[in-house]
């Protein structure tokens, strides 16, 4: 989902940066608040960032014959809320833009919006929704992480379609092209991300009960 | 839990492996989707010139993979440390509670 450096027209690059900036600022505010209010969850916060670090570094082959990577932002969004993942996801993207020439500074705003804003918010919203209608923790986590991942790539496709409308098919035609590259490739990867996120949450519910309770992800009850 | 997680991880590994056993046409098999999008941009707008280029590019594929490994390794290390720490704590707690009940 990395839009490469310089591959968005300047007006688009500026617009996406402006759209993403308030989300990043809100993420910083949320991070400080959580660390102050629940200092005992600091290490879990770092671990959630680490999960995103690992998953976004692994390029996995897909059924389309190309490779892409998961995002890992769903876990932290479920645990700490989406704002915090905006900040952590931005750090991951900045690391990749500066040291790996993956993504870029001019496209950072757009990439932050897809991976660190839409992904975490979709994951968080879906998690709340599925839990609200009585879905089990595992099902809610799976759907949240998988669709958070997929939504990131759909947004990337839309961003590129808006910047590069097809001469014949317009934005819709272009969206179909970029969607075929990104979104279709991402489907099995999104499922993988969903499965792995459930694994981590399973581990957390066994060993980190007190932290999950203080984040009110689990009701206070005898294990 | 261990059994359930093992099944989930196995499912993830199988999903990631299936494409390796499929056959694909074309010269850039298992290339990155990011690069394909770049090619698609050039097909849609052959005149488009990127107006900014990366400030620093890893000088070789090796250095690039080194940095990707570093990213994954640091993340996995921290994640493993966290889970190991909490697992040990939970075990210690259970052992202490077990002692108290005697």
């Amino acid at each position: 989902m990395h839009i490469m450096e310089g591959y968005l027209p300047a007006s688009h690059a500026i617009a996406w940066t402006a759209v993403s900036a308030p989300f990043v600022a809100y993420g910083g505010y949320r991070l400080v608040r959580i660390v102050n209010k629940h200092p005992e969850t600091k290490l879990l916060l770092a671990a959630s960032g680490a999960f995103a670090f690992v998953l976004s570094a692994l390029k996995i082959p897909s059924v389309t014959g190309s490779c892409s990577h998961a995002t890992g932002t769903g876990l932290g969004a479920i645990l700490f809320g989406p704002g915090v993942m905006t900040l952590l996801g931005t750090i991951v993207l900045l690391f990749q833009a500066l040291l790996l020439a993956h993504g870029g500074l001019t496209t950072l705003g757009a990439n932050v919006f897809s991976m660190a804003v839409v992904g975490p918010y979709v994951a968080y919203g879906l998690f709340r929704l599925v839990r609200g209608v009585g879905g089990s923790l595992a099902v809610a986590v799976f759907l949240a992480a998988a669709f958070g991942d997929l939504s990131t790539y759909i947004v990337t496709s839309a961003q590129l379609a808006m910047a590069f409308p097809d001469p014949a098919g317009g934005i819709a035609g272009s969206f179909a092209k970029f969607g075929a590259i990104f979104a279709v490739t991402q489907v099995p990867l999104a499922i993988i991300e969903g499965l792995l996120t459930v694994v981590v949450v399973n581990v957390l519910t066994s060993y980190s009960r007190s932290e999950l309770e203080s984040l009110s992800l689990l009701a206070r009850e005898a294990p | 839990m261990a059994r359930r997680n093992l099944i989930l991880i196995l499912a993830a590994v199988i999903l990631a492996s299936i494409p390796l056993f499929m056959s694909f046409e074309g010269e850039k098999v298992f290339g990155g989707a990011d690069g394909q999008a770049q090619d698609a941009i050039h097909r849609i707008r052959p005149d488009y010139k990127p107006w900014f280029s990366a400030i620093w590019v890893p000088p070789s594929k090796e250095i690039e993979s080194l940095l990707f490994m570093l990213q994954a390794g640091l993340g996995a290390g921290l994640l493993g440390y966290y889970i190991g720490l909490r697992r040990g704590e939970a075990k210690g707690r259970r052992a202490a509670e077990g002692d108290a009940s005697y």
Side-chain angles (χ1 to χ4, degrees):
Chain A
M1 44 61 63
H2 294 90
I3 301 179
M4 293 295 182
E5 185 74 282
Y7 273 85
L8 275 183
S11 58
H12 286 249
I14 293 166
W16 287 116
T17 306
V19 170
S20 292
F23 285 97
V24 177
Y26 174 71
Y29 160 78
R30 285 283 303 163
L31 187 80
V32 171
R33 230 180 97 97
I34 286 173
V35 168
N36 286 335
K37 218 173 141 197
H38 303 289
E40 71 282 4
T41 60
K42 249 188 265 179
L43 198 55
L44 179 58
L45 191 67
S48 306
F51 185 69
F53 234 58
V54 178
L55 283 203
S56 62
L58 299 178
K59 291 179 213 162
I60 302 171
S62 178
V63 286
T64 49
S66 57
C67 287
S68 185
H69 60 88
T71 60
T73 56
L75 176 70
I78 292 165
L79 294 173
F80 294 99
V84 171
M85 276 332 275
T86 303
L87 193 72
L88 296 182
T90 302
I91 294 170
V92 173
L93 287 168
L94 205 57
F95 175 91
Q96 294 181 328
L98 292 176
L99 292 178
L100 292 160
H102 253 67
L105 295 178
T106 59
T107 52
L108 186 66
N111 290 334
V112 164
F113 188 74
S114 62
M115 185 176 122
V117 175
V118 173
Y121 279 86
V122 165
Y124 181 76
L126 205 56
F127 178 75
R128 291 275 139 192
L129 185 76
V130 176
R131 287 300 270 164
V133 299
S136 75
L137 185 64
V139 170
V141 168
F142 174 78
L143 292 176
F147 281 97
D149 178 315
L150 195 60
S151 68
T152 293
Y153 283 79
I154 293 171
V155 171
T156 304
S157 307
Q159 286 169 329
L160 286 174
M162 283 188 272
F164 301 99
D166 193 76
I171 292 180
S174 189
F175 180 66
K177 279 186 188 165
F178 289 114
I181 293 170
F182 280 124
V184 179
T185 303
Q186 201 62 21
V187 170
L189 272 66
I191 297 172
I192 290 173
E193 169 154 7
L195 295 172
L196 294 180
T197 308
V198 172
V199 169
V200 174
V201 170
N202 280 343
V203 171
L204 293 178
T205 48
S206 310
Y207 303 133
S208 306
R209 222 153 229 291
S210 62
E211 280 159 295
L212 298 192
E213 280 167 4
S214 71
L215 292 170
S216 52
L217 192 75
L218 291 179
R220 271 169 222 280
E221 54 186 44
Chain B
M1 179 200 71
R3 202 186 141 82
R4 202 172 152 203
N5 276 351
L6 195 69
I7 293 170
L8 289 172
I9 292 171
L10 219 64
V13 170
I14 291 170
L15 260 176
S17 316
I18 289 173
L20 299 176
F21 298 98
M22 296 165 62
S23 60
F24 298 99
E25 303 279 310
E27 69 255 43
K28 274 196 199 164
V29 174
F30 294 127
D34 292 348
Q36 288 187 353
Q38 217 169 325
D39 296 342
I41 290 173
H42 286 301
R43 274 199 303 277
I44 292 171
R45 283 267 306 273
D47 59 316
Y48 186 79
K49 292 251 182 320
W51 55 282
F52 198 83
S53 47
I55 334 179
W56 187 77
V57 178
S60 74
K61 276 273 161 207
E62 278 67 25
I63 307 294
E64 186 184 320
S65 75
L66 166 72
L67 289 166
F68 266 114
M69 302 275 206
L70 204 62
Q71 189 192 332
L74 285 174
L78 183 58
L79 202 59
Y81 169 77
Y82 172 81
I83 292 173
L85 182 71
R86 289 290 181 263
R87 179 162 189 254
E89 283 173 356
K91 263 194 169 164
R93 238 187 341 262
R94 268 200 291 276
E97 281 162 10
D99 285 344
S101 64
Y102 281 116

